[in-house]
Amino acid sequence: MHCQTGSRGTYVPTSRTIAGDPLERIERLASENAVVIFSVSSCCMCHAIKRLFCGMGVNPTVYELDEDPRGKDMEKALMRLLGNSPAVPVVFIGGKLVGAMDRVMASHINGTLVPLLKQAGALWL
Amino acid sequence: MANHRVGETGLTESRPPNHHHHHNIPYAVLHGMNVPTSFIHQEGSAFGFGELEEAIVLQGVNIRNDEAKAPLFRPAATLEMFPSWPIRFQQTPRVGSSKSGGESTDSGSAVNTICSKTENQLEPESPISTKNTTPLDHQQEMASDFSRTGTSQNQPVAKLPQEKRRGSTSEKQLDAKTLRRLAQNREAARKSRLRKKAYVQQLESSRIKLTQLEQDLQRSRSQGFFLGGSAGAVGNISSGAAIFDMEYSRWLEDDQRHMSELRTGLNAHLSDSDLRIIVDTYISHYDEIFRLKVVAAKADVFHLITGMWTTPAERCFLWMGGFRPSELIKMLISQLDPLTEQQVMGIYSLQHSSQQAEEALTQGLEQLQQSLTDTIAGGPVIDGMQQMAVALGKLANLEGFVRQADNLRQQTLHQLSRILTVRQAARCFLMIGEYYGHLRALSSLWVSRPRESMMSDDHSCQTTTDLQMVQPSQIHFSDF
């Protein structure tokens, strides 16, 4: 299940598309859309986080790392970024790292998620 | 059987004459026959067994002696004195005139009576008979049984003439056999009494043990439910689960303490800053249990997610190993008045986002279950071990969901304390603590409720009274 968003992020062209630093690729992909989720298709927590955003009326851009040829490297890079496993799911909003499921939920509960989404243009309510 | 001591070794060697209260073992009782109690022993009755025995003996004697004679049957007026007498006396009424050799008229009448009784009560008595010997032998057996006691009477029964048995026996031999049999009977009766005594003692001690066990069970059950259900359980519980249960019961005790602090703090009208300290302490207290649950989820996720650490009522409404935050807020909303408009908006927003998060986690867990089912369900299995390994990997995700659910709970409580004023927060946390306390108490009451079919109205009222300490407004089971 994919909720494709209407992209409002800035597009940064890069020539380093193949042999690139995975982290850079991640950052590049994250900045291309308002809400970007890095996921693994078989991961249930990723499914939960997708349901959360769709339930809020947001259409996130989802990258399934198990379907990407460079996915393994990106997973490792994400693990380094987050400090612990699992690497997925991880959410970027407005090009900025929000975090894994626990951070996303905490920000939703404390009321900071919605303004962030609105600010990124993912929500219009 | 207070009056007489049936079966007691009471064959007295010597008895005073005319002593009607004696302890001979009636033949019928010795051999387990159904003899009416009234007949066995009639204190102060005019009838004495001694005379009966003697009469029996004499009858036997008469039978033997008067074999050739034609029987003279004399119905006796005292027939009704003998309610029943075993079929042993089913004897051809060949007793002649009962008078022989110096017997008293008493004996004579007794003999006559027995004869007539025998005559008249042949058939009804027959079921009692279990022995295979002929009536004659039986009679003579009985005669010999009682002859011993008869010997001490001042009746000339002592001079027992020979009695015909299967073979002819001498008087001395008869005595020996009689003596032996009587001794055996005494012995059997004594053993039987001892067995009975031992059995009764065993019953008594078992009864006492049973009541003690019941008390222990009741006590540990009530304790167990207050401690979360498995604190007292042994076996079939992982060490991680057992450790958590212990920590949780300690946490519950701390909870009581914190709640009383909140109560006194509210009632004492402390300053906001002072109250804030108490409230923050209470929030840290909740942070503590969530930390413990993280460890427990790693050790034994099933213990948490199945709710075995809680009471049954809590378990019934469990969501992903704990309370459902949106339901808790729903319970609190009505009681947190008065709230400013901003606060109201904040609370409703909190409830809404909590519901969304809960829904997302629930759907994620459903997908996990679906994925697991696909893995372990039937169908072509190429590699069973591989299949199980994959399933195990998926099952490990449960820990993540319980952790996220606990995270949600923790965040909700923190947000509540941010939205509310310090006094409101104190009241709020007190309400939460009391709510779960009531739920646990309800669980305990439910478990120990009487289950007899005949439950009087009084009893059901009593249960209601017990619950009156619970304010109904604080329990919204339907909402939960």
Side-chain angles (χ1 to χ4, degrees):
Chain A
M1 175 234 65
H2 276 351
C3 318
Q4 285 298 334
T5 176
S7 162
R8 289 282 218 95
T10 52
Y11 177 72
V12 178
T14 176
S15 55
R16 303 206 310 197
T17 48
I18 312 241
D21 180 25
L23 197 56
E24 276 188 26
R25 184 152 186 270
I26 289 166
E27 286 171 349
R28 185 175 53 79
L29 291 171
S31 56
E32 288 175 0
N33 293 98
V35 180
V36 174
I37 304 177
F38 291 98
S39 158
V40 166
S41 58
S42 59
C43 166
C44 309
M45 197 56 81
C46 302
H47 179 77
I49 213 166
K50 290 174 212 169
R51 299 305 314 171
L52 177 64
F53 281 107
C54 290
M56 289 163 58
V58 175
N59 284 331
T61 306
V62 181
Y63 292 103
E64 305 286 1
L65 294 180
D66 55 327
E67 293 166 1
D68 192 302
R70 283 167 288 180
K72 273 269 184 292
D73 295 330
M74 289 163 75
E75 265 191 73
K76 287 189 199 131
L78 282 169
M79 272 198 275
R80 277 197 301 272
L81 192 65
L82 293 173
N84 57 349
S85 60
V88 291
V90 71
V91 174
F92 288 83
I93 298 179
K96 290 207 203 73
L97 175 69
V98 174
M101 182 56 134
D102 53 349
R103 291 282 287 278
V104 169
M105 285 219 299
S107 69
H108 190 34
I109 292 296
N110 66 26
T112 58
L113 187 65
V114 168
L116 203 61
L117 287 167
K118 285 183 180 169
Q119 193 183 6
L123 266 183
W124 290 278
L125 289 162
Chain B
M1 289 191 160
N3 272 353
H4 51 85
R5 300 189 299 189
V6 176
E8 167 159 287
T9 48
L11 285 179
T12 54
E13 299 298 315
S14 63
R15 275 180 295 107
N18 304 319
H19 179 65
H20 297 283
H21 176 107
H22 71 83
H23 310 288
N24 291 332
I25 307 162
Y27 177 88
V29 175
L30 254 184
H31 295 271
M33 288 183 284
N34 186 20
V35 180
T37 313
S38 58
F39 178 64
I40 289 173
H41 207 103
Q42 295 176 7
E43 281 207 76
S45 71
F47 171 68
F49 273 119
E51 286 134 349
L52 177 60
E53 294 152 10
E54 163 202 330
I56 296 163
V57 168
L58 286 172
Q59 186 180 8
V61 168
N62 288 334
I63 289 166
R64 214 194 65 79
N65 287 341
D66 302 342
E67 260 182 328
K69 292 192 196 163
L72 268 181
F73 179 68
R74 273 204 269 158
T78 51
L79 178 66
E80 279 70 44
M81 261 178 71
F82 308 98
S84 73
W85 197 247
I87 199 60
R88 305 314 175 272
F89 281 97
Q90 184 186 348
Q91 173 59 46
T92 56
R94 300 203 298 156
V95 181
S97 69
S98 47
K99 304 232 186 284
S100 78
E103 57 182 294
S104 65
T105 46
D106 278 358
S107 315
S109 61
V111 171
N112 281 335
T113 311
I114 289 165
C115 288
S116 56
K117 186 172 157 55
T118 307
E119 166 92 54
N120 290 337
Q121 295 194 18
L122 274 180
E123 289 318 307
E125 307 269 50
S126 54
I128 300 174
S129 168
T130 51
K131 294 203 174 178
N132 241 352
T133 53
T134 66
L136 174 60
D137 290 339
H138 261 290
Q139 183 176 13
Q140 291 178 346
E141 255 185 314
M142 292 189 68
S144 56
D145 284 342
F146 286 94
S147 64
R148 196 186 172 288
T149 56
T151 53
S152 58
Q153 292 280 22
N154 58 350
Q155 316 284 355
V157 184
K159 299 198 292 278
L160 266 180
Q162 284 182 322
E163 295 217 6
K164 186 176 179 183
R165 297 188 62 82
R166 287 201 184 86
S168 64
T169 56
S170 68
E171 176 182 326
K172 286 200 171 39
Q173 276 180 324
L174 177 65
D175 276 352
K177 281 187 178 165
T178 307
L179 286 169
R180 193 173 61 244
R181 190 175 299 104
L182 287 171
Q184 282 171 354
N185 290 340
R186 266 204 310 282
E187 195 53 41
R190 193 173 66 85
K191 282 186 183 157
S192 149
R193 273 197 306 279
L194 287 173
R195 273 200 306 275
K196 179 182 175 182
K197 195 173 169 191
Y199 178 63
V200 166
Q201 273 177 356
Q202 204 179 30
L203 279 179
E204 286 293 322
S205 62
S206 296
R207 197 169 60 86
I208 292 168
K209 215 194 297 183
L210 181 66
T211 49
Q212 276 176 357
L213 277 174
E214 276 176 355
Q215 283 171 4
D216 285 342
L217 184 66
Q218 198 62 25
R219 207 180 310 126
S220 62
R221 215 186 245 159
S222 57
Q223 279 175 4
F225 278 108
F226 272 105
L227 290 176
S230 46
V234 286
N236 290 348
I237 185 169
S238 70
S239 60
I243 290 169
F244 177 72
D245 284 349
M246 261 170 40
E247 290 169 334
Y248 177 61
S249 68
R250 212 181 306 132
W251 185 88
L252 282 176
E253 288 167 14
D254 290 345
D255 198 51
Q256 290 294 112
R257 242 190 321 108
H258 283 114
M259 273 173 55
S260 60
E261 269 179 38
L262 278 171
R263 229 176 264 119
T264 52
L266 279 169
N267 294 335
H269 299 285
L270 293 176
S271 69
D272 276 6
S273 51
D274 289 342
L275 204 55
R276 169 54 64 185
I277 294 170
I278 299 176
V279 169
D280 285 346
T281 313
Y282 196 75
I283 295 173
S284 315
H285 167 69
Y286 260 97
D287 289 343
E288 169 73 21
I289 190 64
F290 291 126
R291 262 199 305 278
L292 290 171
K293 286 181 85 179
V294 166
V295 177
K298 236 187 275 286
D300 188 346
V301 68
F302 283 120
H303 183 67
L304 286 184
I305 206 167
T306 55
M308 294 316 294
W309 56 283
T310 58
T311 60
E314 288 174 289
R315 204 177 300 151
C316 174
F317 304 118
L318 207 72
W319 174 77
M320 223 171 274
F323 66 85
R324 191 184 270 269
S326 58
E327 291 297 334
L328 189 71
I329 294 164
K330 210 187 283 186
M331 185 267 289
L332 290 168
I333 274 180
S334 56
Q335 301 172 81
L336 285 172
D337 299 331
L339 293 170
T340 69
E341 201 167 311
Q342 192 182 12
Q343 283 179 323
V344 168
M345 278 177 54
I347 298 271
Y348 274 103
S349 165
L350 174 62
Q351 187 184 15
H352 183 58
S353 49
S354 177
Q355 273 170 338
Q356 286 174 329
E358 288 160 23
E359 183 60 28
L361 284 176
T362 302
Q363 290 190 23
L365 191 62
E366 275 171 17
Q367 212 217 26
L368 174 62
Q369 187 181 356
Q370 184 61 54
S371 170
L372 198 64
T373 303
D374 292 342
T375 307
I376 63 172
V381 175
I382 293 122
D383 185 348
M385 283 312 297
Q386 171 72 4
Q387 189 183 30
M388 280 301 161
V390 169
L392 280 172
K394 292 187 176 176
L395 209 56
N397 288 308
L398 271 178
E399 181 201 333
F401 279 97
V402 173
R403 276 190 63 175
Q404 292 306 327
D406 279 340
N407 177 40
L408 186 64
R409 292 182 259 267
Q410 186 178 22
Q411 295 302 321
T412 304
L413 291 175
H414 279 251
Q415 181 67 2
L416 266 175
S417 75
R418 275 181 233 121
I419 293 172
L420 301 170
T421 65
V422 71
R423 290 200 76 81
Q424 287 169 332
R427 275 193 5 249
C428 171
F429 287 123
L430 200 57
M431 276 182 245
I432 293 173
E434 283 173 351
Y435 169 74
Y436 285 110
H438 293 154
L439 202 51
R440 285 191 289 270
L442 191 67
S443 234
S444 184
L445 284 171
W446 177 260
V447 162
S448 57
R449 78 195 189 285
R451 288 167 217 240
E452 298 92 10
S453 53
M454 314 281 280
M455 215 170 102
S456 68
D457 286 345
D458 291 339
H459 212 3
S460 50
C461 284
Q462 182 188 14
T463 315
T464 314
T465 318
D466 287 339
L467 287 175
Q468 271 172 13
M469 60 170 199
V470 170
Q471 282 142 36
S473 62
Q474 289 184 322
I475 298 182
H476 298 279
F477 293 124
S478 55
D479 296 336
F480 217 50

